[in-house]
């Protein structure tokens, strides 16, 4: 029996392993661009003849721009050919990085970094495209590869930025990132499928609908809440760690503190394993397993910071657990509407990033207030809350149904309803 022409038009093209690898690299590069100047903040301040605090405010424009990009730019991949949308973002990012390298004042630097931050949301756009083009039975696996790139970008951006700034200066370091972004922009035009999105309605109507998605979709509400909790925990640990290690009895220099990020890299392979297992056993089990691992690591790490080997192992396990939970959790979000997942991913990542921003601020302050063990307790509490939400909430979504939860399909074109069933302990 021949397929209906309309169905054929809606069928996404197959994506090869090489395309998935490219998407992972592109997502990692895009995400990394708001981090490389952080280790060189003192050099930037000296070069511009400014205070470190003023440069810190300029660099904070990156995360602010990222939030704007999540809301305004990510939904575009549901409407237009992803290759063109992502190529344009990488191209603008390259130009903004070059402008940052040429900045002669803190004000100019902040403006350019804000544009870089907005375009760095390209990582979320790439993961949305991966969710749309991946076959349902391999969606989490492919998302795991892309998430591995994003996770590597977050960690490697700081390491590479610090090393390049020491070797060639912070301005030339930014030009290296600009050249890499320009190259990826060209590759996006040729590597990514030229298939337009299927989002209905106007662009601004789609933006206005983002808050309503949380009202209409229980899966999105639950995923965003628990994701924000564990990203809060993640950022609290890494933000608090830098403060704790810079103070007595450690008093480590910035270079040594930065090397602790290498332990986080050891957790990145967990994203690929988590993606494969999510496709096999469902998201809920993978999320719970990841949170248990991260919680145990946080508990041990709170009282073992003086033992460098144990601390590094705990950091690797902590990151591995939360990276695994993120892959499984995000796969449920992208499965709500596989034909147009970007708006759901945009809404999810906005809440997720708010949790991380709060974690960064509270993590650093809690070390001053309660010490490193107190920061670990706060982290463990956030992870426990996320685990409790997951343990007592079952979700049903396309390709992700678990247990006895039943999904009720609505008329074509309507938002997909979600059934949330409370699971009482035996």
């Amino acid at each position: 029996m021949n397929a209906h022409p309309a169905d054929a038009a809606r069928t996404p093209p197959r994506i090869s392993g090489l395309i998935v690898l490219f998407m992972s690299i592109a997502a990692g590069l895009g995400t990394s661009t708001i981090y490389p100047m952080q280790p060189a903040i003192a050099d930037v301040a000296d070069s511009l003849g400014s205070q470190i605090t003023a440069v810190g405010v300029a660099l904070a424009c990156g995360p602010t721009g990222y939030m704007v990009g999540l809301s305004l730019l990510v939904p575009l991949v549901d409407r237009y050919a992803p290759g063109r949308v992502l190529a344009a973002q990488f191209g603008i990012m390259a130009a903004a990085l070059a402008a940052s390298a040429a900045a002669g004042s803190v004000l100019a630097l902040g403006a350019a970094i804000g544009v870089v931050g907005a375009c760095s949301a390209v990582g979320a756009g790439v993961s949305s495209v991966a969710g749309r083009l991946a076959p349902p039975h391999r969606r989490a696996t492919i998302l795991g590869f892309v998430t591995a790139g994003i996770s590597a970008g977050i960690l490697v951006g700081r390491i590479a930025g610090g090393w390049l700034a020491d070797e060639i200066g912070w301005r030339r370091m930014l030009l290296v990132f600009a050249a890499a972004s320009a190259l990826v922009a060209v590759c996006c035009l040729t590597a990514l499928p030229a298939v337009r999105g299927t989002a209905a309605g106007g662009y601004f109507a789609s933006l206005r609908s983002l808050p309503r998605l949380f009202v209409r979709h229980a899966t999105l509400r639950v995923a965003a809440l628990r994701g924000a909790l564990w990203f809060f925990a993640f950022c609290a640990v890494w933000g608090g760690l830098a403060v704790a290690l810079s103070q007595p009895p450690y008093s480590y220099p910035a270079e040594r503190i930065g090397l602790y990020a290498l332990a986080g890299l050891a957790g990145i392979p967990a994203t690929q394993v988590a993606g494969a297992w999510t496709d096999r056993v469902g998201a809920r089990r993978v999320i719970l397993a990841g949170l248990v691992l991260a919680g145990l690591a946080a508990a041990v790490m709170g009282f073992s910071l003086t033992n460098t080997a144990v601390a590094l192992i705990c950091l690797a396990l902590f990151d591995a657990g939360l990276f695994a939970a993120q892959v499984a959790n995000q796969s449920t979000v992208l499965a709500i509407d596989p034909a147009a997942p970007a708006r759901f991913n945009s809404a999810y990542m906005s809440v997720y990033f708010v949790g991380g921003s709060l974690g960064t601020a509270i993590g650093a302050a809690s070390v001053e207030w309660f010490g490193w063990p107190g920061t670990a307790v706060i982290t463990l509490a956030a992870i426990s809350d996320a685990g409790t939400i997951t343990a007592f909430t079952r979700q049903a979504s396309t390709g992700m149904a678990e247990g006895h939860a039943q999904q009720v399909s609505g008329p074509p074109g309507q938002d997909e309803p979600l059934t949330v069933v409370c699971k009482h302990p035996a």
Side-chain angles (χ1 to χ4, degrees):
M1 183 175 179
N2 294 330
H4 191 276
D7 294 333
R10 287 192 296 265
T11 302
R14 291 180 177 272
I15 50 177
S16 66
L18 286 177
I19 297 300
V20 174
L21 176 61
F22 168 74
M23 294 173 78
S24 179
I25 294 172
L29 174 64
T31 304
S32 73
T33 53
I34 58 175
Y35 299 104
M37 293 187 68
Q38 292 180 356
I41 185 171
D43 294 337
V44 175
D46 289 341
S47 175
L48 297 178
S50 179
Q51 299 293 323
I52 289 181
T53 52
V55 176
V57 172
L59 296 187
C61 293
T64 302
Y66 181 79
M67 288 289 292
V68 174
L70 284 175
S71 300
L72 301 183
L73 301 181
V74 173
L76 292 175
V77 299
D78 277 348
R79 307 189 158 273
Y80 307 104
R84 294 183 180 181
V85 173
L86 299 178
Q89 289 188 41
F90 272 110
I92 296 172
M93 181 189 299
L97 285 167
S100 300
S105 67
V106 172
L107 183 61
L109 180 66
I113 291 298
V115 176
V116 172
C119 292
S120 70
V122 70
V126 172
S127 62
S128 299
V129 174
R132 173 154 64 93
L133 299 181
H137 65 283
R138 296 194 66 238
R139 180 175 291 118
T141 300
I142 291 176
L143 182 62
F145 279 97
V146 176
T147 302
I150 294 175
S151 302
I154 294 173
L155 298 172
V156 174
R158 295 182 176 94
I159 299 172
W163 177 74
L164 286 172
D166 286 340
E167 294 294 324
I168 61 177
W170 68 271
R171 294 184 186 274
R172 289 189 177 91
M173 175 268 291
L174 289 176
L175 291 177
V176 171
F177 276 87
S181 299
L183 177 61
V184 171
V186 175
C187 293
C188 283
L189 292 173
T190 57
L192 296 181
V195 55
R196 291 177 63 89
T198 58
Y203 170 69
F204 292 104
S206 179
L207 295 181
R208 289 193 298 269
S209 72
L210 291 180
R212 292 198 298 270
L213 296 178
F214 290 101
V215 177
R216 304 174 68 176
H217 296 274
T219 287
L220 181 60
R221 292 197 302 272
V222 172
L225 177 58
R226 65 189 175 196
L229 283 169
W230 70 59
F231 197 41
F232 170 94
F234 177 87
C235 293
V237 162
W238 285 101
L241 182 69
V243 175
L245 293 178
S246 66
Q247 297 176 344
Y250 310 102
S251 300
Y252 292 161
E255 293 81 4
R256 183 170 179 178
I257 295 174
L259 291 177
Y260 273 71
L262 293 175
L265 290 176
I268 290 177
T271 59
Q272 301 176 30
V273 176
W277 275 99
T278 298
D279 285 331
R280 291 184 183 182
V281 303
R284 182 172 173 271
R285 294 180 182 179
V286 175
I287 292 172
L288 286 174
L291 293 179
V292 168
L293 179 62
L296 291 174
V300 174
M301 187 166 46
F303 303 95
S304 62
L305 195 58
T306 54
N307 189 320
T308 302
V310 173
L312 292 176
I313 292 172
C314 287
L315 282 171
L317 295 176
F318 177 79
D319 280 14
L322 295 188
F323 288 163
Q326 167 65 356
V327 170
N329 198 42
Q330 195 171 17
S331 69
T332 67
V333 174
L334 297 180
I336 296 174
D337 185 1
R343 60 189 180 129
F344 291 94
N345 199 29
S346 174
Y348 167 75
M349 290 300 297
S350 296
V351 176
Y352 184 78
F353 195 80
V354 168
S357 299
L358 293 174
T360 299
I362 292 177
S366 66
V367 172
E368 298 285 350
W369 297 338
F370 312 116
W372 174 249
T375 302
V377 170
I378 294 173
T379 297
L380 184 58
I383 293 175
S384 299
D385 288 343
T388 301
I389 292 171
T390 305
F392 293 96
T393 306
R394 281 183 179 267
Q395 300 177 1
S397 62
T398 304
M400 295 288 170
E402 295 179 47
H404 299 290
Q406 295 181 346
Q407 179 177 316
V408 181
S409 298
Q414 280 191 354
D415 288 327
E416 183 181 359
L418 273 293
T419 302
V420 175
V421 181
C422 291
K423 177 180 179 293
H424 299 282

